[in-house]
């Protein structure tokens, strides 16, 4: 597990080394610079965490029923 | 099949997908005309098809195992895998349609990729209709297992082979750029591979939950 996290942190290190490519193609830079993209990420994360917890709770209830049978 | 009751790989699925929600939206992507930011759909639309493919492959394996042994459990596992696969199929189709509206101009423009995906969807719907129309247990199991084994390669050809041989607008088809070219010289792999693995595991997880429910129902019915 320790080695896994060490590997993960090493992999994620190179995120910060990317240089911006100069180009005229339109991207959502303004949204990103004003910080609003993080709001979207937050919303998506909340939705997904909710769904994950819900799935885990279904799994647990099912386990109880299986033990009862 | 002990592992379907274990938790570690379910937690891994959630962790992998969770990481791609952040990296997929924040990491730099290639600046390309027409695609713009929708190139990030690679992390969210394509994994739906990967999840679908994973459970369909498992379904075929269980169909073969059912034909070998005649165990009813394998038949139930196979059909629940198809049920889950169709959910991811629909998610992939709808998310692709939304993308097509803002990239190609229409939700449905009769593109070869869209058309053959729709045909393959009907192919699997026919599997469920065929299955539910047979009352006798063993006959139902055998016929649906054979149908499933034949439906899978046809689905693969329809979705992944034929559109590539014609002028489809879909990325990766007919000379259009595919993700394979970008993720080699960019950091897209960091988000893409965990997304593929994570959504596949999530699809398998949902399929196992459906299978376990089905198993309880089956045991209840056979006692009565």
């Amino acid at each position: 597990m320790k080695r896994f996290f060490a590997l993960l942190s090493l992999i994620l290190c190179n995120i910060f080394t990317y240089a911006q490519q100069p180009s005229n193609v339109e991207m959502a830079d303004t949204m990103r610079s004003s910080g609003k993209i993080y709001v979207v990420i937050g919303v998506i994360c909340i939705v997904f965490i909710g769904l994950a917890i819900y799935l885990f709770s279904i799994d647990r209830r099912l386990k109880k029923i299986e033990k009862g049978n | 099949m002990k592992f379907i009751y274990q938790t570690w790989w379910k937690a891994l699925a959630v962790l992998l997908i969770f990481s791609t929600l952040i990296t997929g939206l924040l990491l730099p992507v290639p600046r390309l005309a027409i695609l713009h930011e929708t190139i990030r759909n690679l992390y969210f639309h394509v994994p739906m098809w990967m999840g679908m493919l994973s459970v369909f492959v498992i379904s075929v394996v269980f169909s073969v195992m059912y034909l070998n042994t005649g165990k009813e459990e394998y038949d139930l596992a196979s059909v629940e895998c198809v049920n889950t696969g169709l959910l991811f199929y629909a998610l992939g189709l709808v998310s692709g349609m939304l993308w097509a509206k803002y990239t190609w101009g229409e939700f449905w423009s009769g593109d070869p990729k869209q058309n053959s995906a729709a045909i393959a969807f009907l192919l699997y719907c026919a599997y469920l209709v065929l299955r539910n129309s047979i009352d006798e247990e063993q006959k139902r199991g055998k016929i649906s297992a054979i149908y499933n084994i034949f439906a899978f390669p046809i689905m693969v050809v329809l979705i992944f082979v034929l559109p590539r041989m014609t002028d489809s607008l879909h990325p990766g088809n007919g000379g259009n750029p595919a993700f394979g070219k970008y993720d080699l010289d960019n950091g897209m792999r960091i988000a893409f591979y965990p997304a593929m693995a994570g959504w596949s595991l999530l699809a398998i997880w949902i399929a196992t939950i459906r299978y376990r429910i089905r198993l309880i129902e089956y045991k209840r019915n056979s006692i009565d």
Side-chain angles (χ1 to χ4, degrees):
Chain A
M1 214 54 184
K2 227 178 207 168
R3 271 164 65 192
F4 171 72
F5 281 116
L7 181 71
L8 197 72
S9 56
L10 280 176
I11 289 169
L12 293 180
C13 270
N14 66 351
I15 294 168
F16 306 104
T17 62
Y18 279 102
Q20 281 282 343
Q21 297 153 306
S23 170
N24 294 327
V25 178
E26 191 184 329
M27 298 296 252
D29 293 331
T30 42
M31 188 167 78
R32 220 164 286 273
S33 63
S34 64
K36 289 276 166 74
I37 186 70
Y38 296 103
V39 179
V40 181
I41 294 172
V43 168
I44 295 172
C45 288
I46 290 168
V47 169
F48 182 70
I49 289 172
L51 279 174
I53 292 171
Y54 188 62
L55 263 176
F56 272 116
S57 77
I58 290 173
D59 208 274
R60 227 187 18 248
R61 269 173 65 188
L62 199 53
K63 224 169 236 171
K64 268 184 202 156
I65 293 169
E66 277 167 343
K67 271 184 192 147
N69 265 17
Chain B
M1 293 241 283
K2 260 268 166 319
F3 89 99
I4 67 168
Y5 301 101
Q6 289 165 352
T7 311
W8 64 270
W9 61 276
K10 294 162 189 171
L12 181 71
V14 170
L15 267 179
L16 284 173
I17 295 171
F18 190 73
S19 80
T20 62
L21 296 182
I22 298 163
T23 56
L25 289 164
L26 284 184
L27 288 189
V29 289
R31 287 171 172 260
L32 299 169
I34 301 169
L35 280 179
H36 301 280
E37 292 282 358
T38 67
I39 194 169
R40 292 181 196 277
N41 268 2
L42 179 67
Y43 310 133
F44 305 104
H45 162 76
V46 181
M48 294 300 125
W49 299 98
M50 190 64 207
M52 174 213 79
L53 209 60
S54 310
V55 283
F56 278 177
V57 167
I58 294 169
S59 164
V60 169
V61 170
F62 276 113
S63 284
V64 172
M65 279 162 73
Y66 174 74
L67 288 177
N68 267 336
T69 60
K71 266 192 188 167
E72 188 66 21
E73 282 88 350
Y74 294 153
D75 183 45
L76 299 180
S78 157
V79 69
E80 286 305 348
C81 280
V82 170
N83 279 332
T84 315
L86 278 176
L87 167 74
F88 278 83
Y89 207 124
L91 289 176
L93 265 185
V94 172
S95 62
M97 276 169 69
L98 181 67
W99 176 80
K101 172 73 185 166
Y102 296 101
T103 323
W104 300 343
E106 295 275 352
F107 284 112
W108 199 276
S109 50
D111 186 80
K113 191 86 163 180
Q114 288 180 321
N115 282 344
S116 53
I119 296 167
F121 187 75
L122 293 178
L123 188 72
Y124 270 93
C125 289
Y127 165 78
L128 294 178
V129 172
L130 173 77
R131 202 194 142 76
N132 292 329
S133 63
I134 304 171
D135 284 330
E136 207 215 317
E137 216 168 63
Q138 287 192 335
K139 205 186 217 176
R140 180 176 62 205
K142 266 182 199 160
I143 291 175
S144 61
I146 293 164
Y147 184 99
N148 189 28
I149 292 167
F150 278 98
F152 179 74
I154 297 170
M155 182 274 292
V156 169
V157 168
L158 275 171
I159 296 181
F160 300 106
V161 180
L162 284 183
R164 272 159 222 253
M165 298 171 75
T166 55
D167 285 332
S168 172
L169 288 171
H170 193 279
N173 298 330
N176 290 311
F179 54 82
K181 212 165 82 187
Y182 309 135
D183 64 2
L184 285 177
D185 56 350
N186 283 289
M188 291 184 82
R189 277 178 176 170
I190 300 166
F192 180 59
Y193 290 153
M196 294 296 253
W199 286 103
S200 291
L201 285 175
L202 192 85
I204 295 167
W205 183 11
I206 295 171
T208 63
I209 287 175
R210 293 193 63 118
Y211 166 66
R212 285 156 69 185
I213 293 171
R214 190 71 168 246
L215 204 61
I216 291 169
E217 283 173 354
Y218 172 69
K219 275 178 185 161
R220 245 183 222 163
N221 287 339
S222 54
I223 290 165
D224 293 339

